[in-house]
Amino acid sequence: MEAALLVESLTGNTWKAAELVGAKLQEAGWGVSGLSRVREPDLRSIQIADLVLVGTWTHGLFVVGQGPWGASALANLPAMRGKKAAVFCTFALNPAKTLDKMTGIIAGRGADVIGGFAMNRRHLDRNAEEFAARLVDVAPALV
Ligand SMILES: Cc1cc2nc3c(=O)[nH]c(=O)nc-3n(C[C@H](O)[C@H](O)[C@H](O)COP(=O)(O)O)c2cc1C
């Protein structure tokens, strides 16, 4: 399995989360075709990936109005028709519907979104491990 990671990050948490997930997938024998910014996506890494992982951070008023930061940048990602994708976000308090919103946006690029994971910024290691383990579990059904 080959995974491409596309990330939007302001203070580094989501980038770190992506690195941790990528490392865990590699430990499980996967390849990582690239880790790039949503606003400057590595197109080749997307092309050769079996699974595209898209991550951003939760933006809102902490108790209301939460959503994915950079929604318009996510909506401008290249078309991913026929690709499998998974979404993830980091958050401080409560991601609310951030993952659902991301799923809608990435599905709008034509990808088949197989799931998602919201990671508490204080538990990135543990959450990345769990997310990667879930992806490894479903991988046989993806190819
Ligand atoms: C302007 C701003 C708004 C935020 N709003 C929320 C929010 O509504 N809910 C929440 O759980 N976290 C919120 N956060 C916290 C970020 O989602 C969290 O710190 C995230 O890990 C940042 O990711 P990054 O380091 O990749 O930029 C907010 C952060 C900022 C800077």
Side-chain angles (χ1 to χ4, degrees):
M1 286 291 287
E2 200 72 35
L5 291 139
L6 303 173
V7 173
E8 179 72 34
S9 181
L10 180 68
T11 60
N13 295 332
T14 316
W15 192 270
K16 183 178 174 208
E19 287 179 335
L20 290 167
V21 172
K24 286 288 164 199
L25 292 174
Q26 284 175 318
E27 276 175 28
W30 289 34
V32 173
S33 58
L35 166 56
S36 60
R37 287 163 34 89
V38 163
R39 289 164 205 269
E40 287 170 282
D42 175 350
L43 300 181
R44 193 180 131 72
S45 77
I46 298 172
Q47 253 166 20
I48 61 180
D50 303 298
L51 181 66
V52 180
L53 300 177
V54 182
T56 188
W57 52 281
T58 303
H59 177 266
L61 299 174
F62 289 88
V63 283
V64 291
Q66 298 95 328
W69 177 256
S72 60
L74 296 172
N76 278 326
L77 279 168
M80 293 189 272
R81 238 176 308 282
K83 287 276 171 203
K84 304 283 184 198
V87 293
F88 64 97
C89 67
T90 62
F91 68 95
L93 198 64
N94 176 8
K97 301 250 183 265
T98 298
L99 284 184
D100 290 345
K101 292 176 182 172
M102 292 180 75
T103 297
I105 294 168
I106 300 304
R109 303 312 297 137
D112 173 15
V113 183
I114 60 157
F117 202 105
M119 302 188 195
N120 187 313
R121 70 181 182 189
R122 279 166 303 170
H123 304 297
L124 292 182
D125 281 287
R126 193 194 333 135
N127 287 178
E129 193 167 348
E130 194 180 333
F131 184 32
R134 286 195 202 170
L135 294 174
V136 169
D137 277 352
V138 298
L142 299 182
V143 285

